[in-house]
Amino acid sequence: MASASLLKSSLVLNKSEWVKGPSFRQPSVSHVRCQPAPFTVKAVSSYAEELIKTAKTVASPGRGILAMDESNATCGKRLASIGLENTEANRQAYRTLLVSAPGLGQYISGAILFEETLYQSTVDGKKMVDVLVEQGIVPGIKVDKGLVPLAGSNDESWCQGLDGLASRTAAYYQQGARFAKWRTVVSIPNGPSALAVKEAAWGLARYAAISQESGLSPIVEPEILLDGEHGIDRTFEVALKVWAEVFFYLAENNVLFEGILLKPSMVTPGAECKERATPQKVADYTLKLLKRRIPPAFLSGGQSEVEATLNLNAMNQAPNPWHVSFSYARALQNTCLKTWGGRPENVKAAQDALMTRAKANSTAQLGKYTGEGESAEAKEGMFVKGYVY
């Protein structure tokens, strides 16, 4: 997942040196002498060893990432679902609940934070970053500036935030962050257009290169949205194209492959597709994608809690050469949030719910998850072949 042996360098060719030798009145191919074209290789980042160490730590067996990087607006929607106002105090209380869950580091290796959280303290006055580090959890940071319409496309989006990214990532590193996230998306119902795919791949590559220069291991995630009525084969086709573009531009930007974390979306049918896929089929298609395109792997969710865990488990039961783990937001937090309900007396129960989900996904990363004892809440929204899991 987090490290790979493949590192490509861009070739820089000087046209004046393509062909050398005396001039000929009647030049022919047989008379032209060629010399090897010069090329340059970017010097390894001064953070190279740390980048690799960070990636390996996040990829440690039986652990995965807790994605708690929701923007303040999105966090507000989550809080509204349990009847709470979107205030900094309420956001602080919920984030404190998450990072301070006793023993969380046993199952969680990294936590993606929103900028407010990176600089925030817990309700007890302790820095959120320090609480995570004490638990053995690597702090990460969301660094993009959100999605905006992509001009000239089929109502598609592109991810903004490259302007000023170098200074922001340097500041985040000083604050304690050690890896970064950049969210760009590809929509299958809207094409995807070649323009949108190329924009997503190039933006990811530039972000990855800039992050590494500042000491942050980048999560590389071209998120293929679940929206649509398309089947699993169409998702697979698009994913192949997208990841081919991503790796091309990562190499063009001299990204250190050993110091990145890859987060490919699971290959599933569209959310509105009538033909659902079993965990085994999702695993088969996702592993097939990884074998064709990706040296490492880190899997994204976007599914119900149990569904995400079952799919992850199936992938780790099949032979594969990667560390296939998880980076989940809703699939770890949904039951926890509802259990908490904004009431201090429910903090312990909510943390227990979070630990239950974290442990389940830890077990799935090891390929040993059975699904026994799961609550109805955790199974909500999961339908496969007409049956509720």
Side-chain angles (χ1 to χ4, degrees), residues 3 81 110 210 217 225 231 281 292 334 353:
S3 62
S81 71
I210 294 169
S217 294
L225 296 175
K281 189 171 185 178
R292 292 191 185 181
N334 188 51

Side-chain angles (χ1 to χ4, degrees), residues 54-75:
T54 296
K56 287 183 176 180
T57 300
V58 176
S60 52
R63 301 202 296 168
I65 289 178
L66 169 61
M68 46 181 292
D69 57 316
E70 300 91 350
S71 67
N72 289 346
T74 300
C75 190

Side-chain angles (χ1 to χ4, degrees), residues 12-50:
V12 180
L13 303 180
N14 184 337
K15 292 185 179 180
S16 65
E17 298 187 13
W18 284 353
V19 179
K20 291 186 176 180
S23 300
F24 297 97
R25 291 183 180 178
Q26 295 179 335
S28 66
V29 173
S30 62
H31 292 152
V32 177
R33 293 182 179 181
C34 296
Q35 293 183 351
F39 64 93
T40 60
V41 178
K42 176 182 174 293
V44 177
S45 168
S46 59
Y47 290 101
E49 290 186 7
E50 185 177 5

Side-chain angles (χ1 to χ4, degrees), residues 114-193:
F114 188 62
E115 186 176 66
E116 179 181 74
T117 316
L118 183 69
Y119 291 93
Q120 201 170 39
S121 296
T122 66
V123 293
D124 299 322
K126 203 166 187 177
K127 290 182 179 179
M128 296 273 188
V129 169
D130 291 344
V131 175
L132 289 170
V133 172
E134 288 173 4
Q135 294 237 50
I137 299 172
V138 182
I141 179 69
K142 172 183 166 68
V143 301
D144 66 83
K145 292 295 184 179
L147 300 171
V148 293
L150 177 61
S153 71
N154 185 28
D155 293 326
E156 295 164 286
S157 301
W158 68 282
C159 186
Q160 59 185 348
L162 290 178
D163 289 348
L165 181 60
S167 60
R168 294 202 312 277
T169 50
Y172 296 152
Y173 180 90
Q174 291 300 317
Q175 185 63 17
R178 289 297 178 268
F179 70 97
K181 174 192 174 182
W182 174 276
R183 183 177 185 252
T184 193
V185 302
V186 174
S187 171
I188 292 180
N190 288 353
S193 66

Side-chain angles (χ1 to χ4, degrees), residues 248-276:
F248 174 78
Y249 286 117
L250 287 174
E252 287 287 292
N253 282 273
N254 299 299
V255 171
L256 179 67
F257 280 21
E258 296 94 327
I260 64 176
L261 298 158
L262 296 186
K263 189 182 174 189
S265 303
M266 292 183 189
V267 180
T268 67
E272 290 80 43
C273 179
K274 295 180 180 179
E275 183 179 351
R276 305 311 301 156

